[in-house]
Amino acid sequence: NAGVTQTPKFQVLKTGQSMTLQCAQDMNHNSMYWYRQDPGMGLRLIYYSASEGTTDKGEVPNGYNVSRLNKREFSLRLESAAPSQTSVYFCASSEGGVGYTFGSGTRLTVV
Amino acid sequence: EDQVTQSPEALRLQEGESSSLNCSYTVSGLRGLFWYRQDPGKGPEFLFTLYSAGEEKEKERLKATLTKKESFLHITAPKPEDSATYLCAVSNNAGNMLTFGGGTRLMVKP
């Protein structure tokens, strides 16, 4: 009953470094999402994948890339981290546009 | 563009003092309105989905209602363990994503 699992839980990067945030779900959902949460800004969509093999930009895609590796896994990559990308990142999955389930988040600090 | 506004931003209640949280929305064809609870350091936890005006759902001390322009989360006789941030979100008929409001931080004091 893991639901949505995100790794790592915490990460500190130096400006210009790259990293990949991993997300996996075990609910057989078709759709997966990456959100970022900043104080006073709420949750904002970065990228989503409506089904295996497809990805689309959300509200704030600049500086990020994604890969839908298979039905279970959806990764988020920062190629050259910037301080503005300091945030809490949440992965979510859903089926049919309902029943969105979120992971516990990755807290990223870019110094 | 879908928009969600929540008020108030923060709410302090005494234990047992009932109140309501507001979520106003504009959406290009509502597919669903969602309420989530978020505890510090954790991901959003699903509470309710409402699909059409007039619909109501209840869970313990929480009751969510929906009109064509807004949703209310009523909290009856709250307890300190109800302290959390409550998030409202909408999904439109394209059904590709959730658009969130900024949240209401609820603090219930014993």
Side-chain angles (χ1 to χ4, degrees):
Chain A
N1 61 347
V4 177
T5 303
Q6 292 183 235
T7 56
K9 293 189 183 302
F10 301 93
Q11 185 72 48
V12 179
L13 290 178
K14 293 182 179 179
T15 297
Q17 286 185 319
S18 63
M19 78 162 296
T20 300
L21 282 64
Q22 306 286 354
C23 174
Q25 53 96 4
D26 62 3
M27 297 168 287
N28 203 35
H29 286 170
N30 277 306
S31 302
M32 297 186 72
Y33 311 82
W34 278 104
Y35 284 86
R36 62 178 288 174
Q37 187 174 37
D38 303 292
M41 300 291 292
L43 282 148
R44 293 180 293 167
L45 183 66
I46 305 171
Y47 269 93
Y48 66 97
S49 171
S51 61
E52 186 178 356
T54 68
T55 60
D56 285 287
K57 295 179 180 179
E59 182 183 355
V60 289
N62 291 343
Y64 305 95
N65 285 300
V66 291
S67 296
R68 184 73 182 268
L69 305 171
N70 48 55
K71 191 171 185 179
R72 291 187 62 249
E73 298 173 287
F74 188 39
S75 63
L76 178 72
R77 182 161 179 84
L78 287 70
E79 290 291 351
S80 178
S84 60
Q85 294 178 305
T86 293
S87 187
V88 182
Y89 291 86
F90 289 100
C91 178
S93 69
S94 75
E95 185 62 37
V98 296
Y100 292 78
T101 301
F102 285 81
S104 59
T106 294
R107 284 146 187 81
L108 174 67
T109 301
V110 182
V111 297
Chain B
E1 181 180 333
D2 301 340
Q3 289 190 328
V4 179
T5 303
Q6 292 187 246
S7 62
E9 291 186 7
L11 180 63
R12 292 187 177 187
L13 300 174
Q14 289 295 129
E15 185 173 2
E17 180 186 2
S18 301
S19 188
S20 297
L21 282 56
N22 177 263
C23 172
S24 299
Y25 66 91
T26 56
V27 63
S28 55
L30 180 69
R31 183 166 189 171
L33 184 140
F34 300 79
W35 282 99
Y36 284 85
R37 169 188 172 130
Q38 186 175 26
D39 292 298
K42 301 201 174 175
E45 176 187 348
F46 173 76
L47 292 173
F48 304 108
T49 307
L50 301 168
Y51 295 101
S52 58
E55 188 174 1
E56 300 182 351
K57 288 192 176 175
E58 290 188 64
K59 179 180 180 180
E60 296 180 356
R61 295 177 292 281
L62 300 177
K63 179 180 177 179
T65 62
L66 181 65
T67 72
K68 289 185 177 180
K69 294 183 178 180
E70 57 191 352
S71 177
F72 291 94
L73 184 65
H74 306 279
I75 303 176
T76 302
K79 298 181 177 182
E81 54 262 42
D82 294 322
S83 297
T85 296
Y86 291 86
L87 301 171
C88 174
V90 296
S91 173
N92 61 30
N93 282 331
N96 289 328
M97 60 182 178
L98 294 177
T99 299
F100 281 87
T104 293
R105 187 162 60 96
L106 174 66
M107 295 156 282
V108 181
K109 296 197 170 183

